[in-house]
Amino acid sequence: MTETPGRVRAEIDLAALRANVRALRARAPRAAYMAVMKADAYGHGMLPCAKAALQAGATWLGTATPQEALALRAAGIGVDDARVMCWLWTPGGPWRAAIEADIDLGVSGMWALRELTAAARAAGRTARVQLKIDTGLGRNGCMPADWPELVEACLKAQAEGTVKVTGIWSHYACADEPGHPSIALQSAEFADALRHAEEAGLTPEVRHIANSPAILTLPETHYDLVRGGIATYGISPSPDLGVPADFGLRPVMSLKASLALVKHVPAGLGVSYGHHYVTAEPTTLGLVPVGYGDGLPRQASGSGPVLVAGKVRTVAGRLAMDQFVVDLHGDEPAVGDEAVLFGPGDRGEPTAEDWARAAGTIGYEIVTRIGTRVPRVYVNE
């Protein structure tokens, strides 16, 4: 697709996404691949990214909410195209709709099992259930002490035909910190939970615990299925593990804007709210028409990098809702020239990780928070 001029755009390289999926699948050759699509594919656009991931060999799509999973089905991702799983449920959720859409349902406690079995009976369908064990993340998932009760209840529901346990799974807390002691402890707890379930009579189709960092660094955790989250989109799960290129990955999103103004200003001019930046000498300023209303982190005021006229500049002063200023130090690019906030880094432009460092956060947040008023432009479809 031809590049679209305008105030700002997020350019999504689907060829990079497909290549990332292939590279990650190669690291777990005996496991099926789930491309995680939650939060609108980490801000990249769920449906185009889902289609690209499936083209590259993913056979599962993962979502957090049932609404995301149902949206995939409604958009034409059929049962023959991909298994779809969602895991973040609250009481009164759309259980029946999800069962009728053949979505795999994450279950972390007895309350959820009771609600979905009632929905399965009402629908006259068998619900596909993925039991989650909390192996030490301390977030969602069934505690080990309660695991025998949940397994037994699932066996009874399976015997009556209301559920089929299709998977047992968990999630690492610190797989992005190589050598963290919790990794071995969680791996052992997961193995214990699997052993108990299998001895009780459950035979899940897939067992999975490996997220992006575990795919890259813990091959012994790959089991039957791996879940590629941020790595699918070409961002390293952690600087401690390496940069994307170390794993054959390429960032999928580039954020680009057009300069809205270039002007000459005197020394001593305060720039943006609070005058936290004051020009040290006569200079030129460039106005980049993107701000925290578009999802940029305000915490990157004074430090966020942007490539303008072949040089990396930083946000001068406070980043506002719709715009920020860069000091061009006498350079005079034309109004409308491109400002690249982040991308793969091929042309010396900053990356999402550079913005993460500037804001004291992680690359996940930088791409995910880019808002809906920033159009997504898909290339290499």
Side-chain angles (χ1 to χ4, degrees):
M1 183 180 291
T2 303
E3 290 188 0
T4 303
R7 179 181 70 91
V8 61
R9 69 188 185 278
E11 190 174 282
I12 310 300
D13 185 350
L14 295 178
L17 190 147
R18 291 190 295 268
N20 294 338
V21 170
R22 288 192 290 267
L24 292 162
R25 287 181 59 219
R27 288 182 170 269
R30 293 181 298 278
Y33 189 83
M34 176 189 286
V36 180
M37 293 288 127
K38 64 181 181 176
D40 199 27
Y42 291 64
H44 293 68
M46 184 168 67
L47 186 58
C49 290
K51 290 179 177 179
L54 295 176
Q55 290 167 359
T59 53
W60 288 75
L61 300 173
T63 68
T65 70
Q67 289 77 17
E68 292 168 333
L70 290 167
L72 285 169
R73 288 290 193 233
I77 304 292
V79 177
D80 293 334
D81 300 314
R83 295 281 290 274
V84 176
M85 179 182 171
C86 65
W87 48 75
L88 191 59
W89 288 87
T90 52
W95 297 105
R96 180 168 179 172
I99 291 166
E100 291 174 341
D102 290 307
I103 292 166
D104 284 59
L105 314 174
V107 169
S108 296
M110 290 295 296
W111 76 265
L113 185 63
R114 285 191 290 267
E115 289 202 4
L116 78 86
T117 52
R121 293 187 193 101
R125 299 278 295 270
T126 299
R128 294 210 294 244
V129 171
Q130 299 248 346
L131 297 182
K132 185 176 186 184
I133 175 76
D134 184 353
T135 54
L137 178 58
R139 208 170 59 178
N140 207 3
C142 179
M143 290 300 293
D146 301 322
W147 185 245
E149 179 190 16
L150 186 60
V151 168
E152 182 181 359
C154 281
L155 284 166
K156 290 179 180 177
Q158 194 162 260
E160 70 176 27
T162 52
V163 309
K164 175 178 173 56
V165 176
T166 57
I168 295 175
W169 68 294
S170 192
H171 195 69
Y172 282 113
C174 304
D176 55 350
E177 300 179 43
H180 194 283
S182 69
I183 297 171
L185 294 173
Q186 284 195 255
S187 296
E189 191 69 63
F190 188 57
D192 287 345
L194 290 173
R195 189 178 307 110
H196 175 88
E198 290 164 2
E199 288 175 354
L202 290 181
T203 54
E205 298 170 23
V206 290
R207 304 158 298 165
H208 50 111
I209 190 173
N211 52 3
S212 287
I215 294 172
L216 297 174
T217 64
L218 299 170
E220 68 276 12
T221 70
H222 291 171
Y223 286 96
D224 311 300
L225 175 68
V226 295
R227 304 187 305 268
I230 195 66
T232 298
Y233 306 98
I235 294 177
S236 174
S238 167
D240 292 341
L241 298 180
V243 298
D246 293 336
F247 305 107
L249 304 176
R250 179 178 174 81
V252 173
M253 182 188 290
S254 296
L255 186 64
K256 302 177 180 180
S258 299
L259 288 178
L261 183 68
V262 177
K263 62 184 180 181
H264 293 267
V265 301
L269 180 73
V271 175
S272 195
Y273 294 122
H275 285 182
H276 295 281
Y277 184 85
V278 177
T279 57
E281 57 189 4
T283 187
T284 48
L285 298 179
L287 185 65
V288 183
V290 193
Y292 63 77
D294 302 292
L296 294 183
R298 189 171 179 270
Q299 296 91 328
S301 293
S303 58
V306 57
L307 181 70
V308 180
K311 299 177 184 177
V312 175
R313 331 279 178 159
T314 55
V315 177
R318 189 163 289 168
L319 188 150
M321 183 180 292
D322 311 299
Q323 55 198 282
F324 66 86
V325 176
V326 292
D327 191 334
L328 298 169
H329 296 291
D331 293 336
E332 297 188 32
V335 171
D337 278 3
E338 187 176 77
V340 184
L341 283 77
F342 60 80
D346 295 348
R347 296 187 296 145
E349 77 273 19
T351 64
E353 186 58 41
D354 292 325
W355 272 86
R357 281 193 293 270
T361 184
I362 56 176
Y364 298 66
E365 184 180 355
I366 298 301
V367 292
T368 302
R369 67 186 293 161
I370 300 302
T372 56
R373 76 174 184 174
V374 177
R376 271 61 173 173
V377 177
Y378 294 92
V379 299
N380 298 320
E381 292 184 273

